[in-house]
Amino acid sequence: MARGLIGTIELMVAVVLAARVTLLGVDNLARGQTAIGAVFLGLAAALLVIEWVAPSPTDIPGALAGRARSALPGGKPSDGDDD
């Protein structure tokens, strides 16, 4: 899926936030607080995965329209080339 300008900016904001949380996790690991460090590293990974995988609010109406179109009699399933 190609990202537009807004999607790219959203991803970069998530990367910057995840980098800060990752540094906090690494700092806690270096201090010997492994449980807290692992939690922060997990949160940073989850932040990036959710940003990459989860649909944005603007994608949801298009997905619902495609499902409705394919559910109608004689409707063709969306092939995703309508962009």
Side-chain angles (χ1 to χ4, degrees):
M1 178 175 87
R3 289 187 177 264
L5 179 64
I6 301 297
T8 303
I9 292 172
E10 289 174 353
L11 179 63
M12 289 302 110
V13 168
V15 167
V16 168
L17 291 175
R20 294 184 61 101
V21 175
T22 300
L23 288 174
L24 184 60
V26 170
D27 183 49
N28 281 316
L29 286 175
R31 292 178 187 217
Q33 299 172 340
T34 56
I36 295 173
V39 166
F40 281 124
L41 290 176
L43 285 174
L47 179 68
L48 291 177
V49 167
I50 288 171
E51 173 62 33
W52 188 260
V53 174
S56 68
T58 58
D59 293 341
I60 294 173
L64 291 176
R67 284 188 179 178
R69 181 175 43 179
S70 65
L72 293 174
K76 295 180 182 176
S78 176
D79 57 359
D81 292 336
D82 294 338
D83 296 334

